[in-house]
Amino acid sequence: MDSRMQAAQISRAGGDWELVDRDIPEPGAGQVRVKVEACGICHSDVLVKEGLWPGLKFPRVPGHEIAGRIDAAGANVTSWTTGQRVGVGWHGGHDFVCERCRRGDFAMCVNRKVTGFDFDGGYAEYMIAPASALAAIPDEVPAEEAGPFMCAGVTVYNALRNAGARAGDVVAIHGIGGLGHLGVQYARRMGFKTVAINRGNDKQELAQKLGAHHYIDATATDVVAELQKLGGARVILATAPSAPAISPLVDGLAPSGLLLVPAAPTEPLSINVFSLISKRSAVSGWYSGTARDSQDTMEFSALSGVHPMIEKYSLARVAEAYEQMHSGRARFRVVLAFN
Ligand SMILES: [Zn+2]
Ligand SMILES: [Zn+2]
């Protein structure tokens, strides 16, 4: 085997993409080496590129939407085999011993690691991952679709399945983009009365094709009034990270409704608390999930026919791929595909 590999790294906060030749890393105890087949580019990779993540060390290879195959395993890896197809996502492992882990809440581990932030990620031909961060990829899911499921997919799937809505309830997806186009598909297939909310009508046909029963054009109609005509939303998943757009949505909730925010706007929300109190409703953040949650996401997607819409680029075109994602022009996830 060749001992060198190609990787795309950032070597200082705000630096440009650098294509470098590196030694192929060796897995330590409890780790595996993954031969990367695809890696999605996530909006949060901007936190690495611009050095906005606390404690970040450079140079760093970003990428936390990884799909590939186990190429080598270190000592003490007992439940994974060489050649097995695996994904590695945002959740880059946990310590098993802190108070949260002792209660089984691994996503909230005080020493949790983030892939591509705390250790090098998937913008490279090979990467090292802790076995606790691995999700098995179902045979039906190709690598370039598995990648986006490991962050965008698990975030919305796990948010929706834990939000308390029951079959037939009104669930609104605000923003039809990288997260939202998956959110509409999941909401429909989970049995919810699915409402897509977006600015303008250029995504109306697509939203309906993805499964939306109703479409609300936020520029042409009063979103709150339209949601209340449907009885109010049991859950609104706000995927467009705009505080002025998200804040008023609380008035569109049904009693005991939940406004879920899985992607952070840069500005604070301004919430009408009277509206929350009078309807006993709530606003909550959502943290993506563990590796098993990602595997659940892929298994449900294979079962029910959920697919991310992707644009593929080679690693050599990483700067262009990142710019395409960052500009908002991508429909809807950008994936680095290897080979
Ligand atoms: Zn992400
Ligand atoms: Zn822990």
Side-chain angles (χ1 to χ4, degrees):
M1 193 176 104
D2 215 352
S3 66
R4 305 283 287 174
M5 67 169 191
Q6 281 266 300
Q9 70 178 25
I10 295 293
S11 58
R12 60 177 173 82
D16 288 328
W17 294 103
E18 299 167 10
L19 276 169
V20 293
D21 214 37
R22 283 188 176 195
D23 283 332
I24 294 176
E26 291 299 328
Q31 299 177 329
V32 302
R33 181 170 65 215
V34 177
K35 186 174 195 307
V36 179
E37 295 174 346
C39 184
I41 294 181
C42 182
H43 286 273
S44 49
D45 293 339
V46 68
L47 303 174
V48 178
K49 186 167 185 306
E50 302 305 325
L52 303 172
W53 189 258
L56 201 63
K57 291 193 179 69
F58 292 105
R60 180 59 75 222
V61 176
H64 58 269
E65 289 195 342
I66 299 155
R69 277 176 201 276
I70 297 177
D71 167 68
N76 307 329
V77 175
T78 53
S79 56
W80 301 91
T81 54
T82 303
Q84 190 171 358
R85 300 181 70 221
V86 291
V88 185
W90 174 271
H91 184 80
H94 42 273
D95 66 4
F96 292 98
V97 297
C98 77
E99 284 303 304
R100 297 315 307 170
C101 286
R102 289 181 67 204
R103 294 183 188 280
D105 191 2
F106 301 123
M108 292 296 116
C109 175
V110 297
N111 294 308
R112 68 189 176 201
K113 298 286 185 277
V114 179
T115 307
F117 288 66
D118 293 308
F119 56 92
D120 284 336
Y123 289 24
E125 291 176 287
Y126 295 86
M127 59 85 62
I128 300 293
S132 62
L134 299 176
I137 301 175
D139 291 344
E140 305 91 312
V141 180
E144 62 267 28
E145 293 192 11
F149 285 139
M150 298 305 299
C151 180
V154 64
T155 297
V156 292
Y157 171 77
N158 214 24
L160 287 173
R161 72 169 174 170
N162 286 295
R166 301 193 300 171
D169 283 352
V170 173
V171 170
I173 309 298
H174 175 255
I176 306 304
L179 297 179
H181 88 289
L182 290 166
V184 168
Q185 296 180 67
Y186 287 127
R188 173 62 181 253
R189 286 155 181 81
M190 288 178 186
F192 305 136
K193 187 181 286 185
T194 302
V195 183
I197 305 167
N198 205 65
R199 294 173 58 80
N201 59 12
D202 59 317
K203 291 182 187 163
Q204 177 165 0
E205 200 181 313
L206 174 68
Q208 285 166 336
K209 205 175 118 213
L210 294 173
H213 297 97
H214 299 275
Y215 182 87
I216 299 175
D217 175 356
T219 60
T221 50
D222 178 342
V223 174
V224 166
E226 293 302 312
L227 287 173
Q228 289 303 344
K229 275 186 209 166
L230 297 168
R234 180 66 182 76
V235 172
I236 300 173
L237 185 67
T239 72
S242 155
I246 294 172
S247 296
L249 295 176
V250 291
D251 293 325
L253 290 170
S256 301
L258 181 63
L259 173 60
L260 266 177
V261 190
T266 47
E267 301 293 313
L269 298 186
S270 173
I271 297 294
N272 175 1
V273 176
F274 180 77
S275 177
L276 293 184
I277 292 170
S278 60
K279 285 186 294 193
R280 208 198 311 122
S281 54
V283 180
S284 176
W286 184 261
Y287 190 82
S288 62
T290 63
R292 195 60 181 85
D293 293 317
S294 296
Q295 190 171 325
D296 289 344
T297 303
M298 292 189 286
E299 289 169 357
F300 180 85
S301 301
L303 181 74
S304 61
V306 173
H307 300 278
M309 292 170 63
I310 58 171
E311 297 178 5
K312 288 198 274 186
Y313 288 82
S314 64
L315 183 65
R317 293 171 68 200
V318 61
E320 195 186 334
Y322 178 83
E323 177 52 30
Q324 174 72 357
M325 180 283 302
H326 206 58
S327 69
R329 286 189 305 266
R331 290 286 177 275
F332 284 102
R333 298 298 283 189
V334 173
V335 177
L336 299 173
F338 296 73
N339 305 324

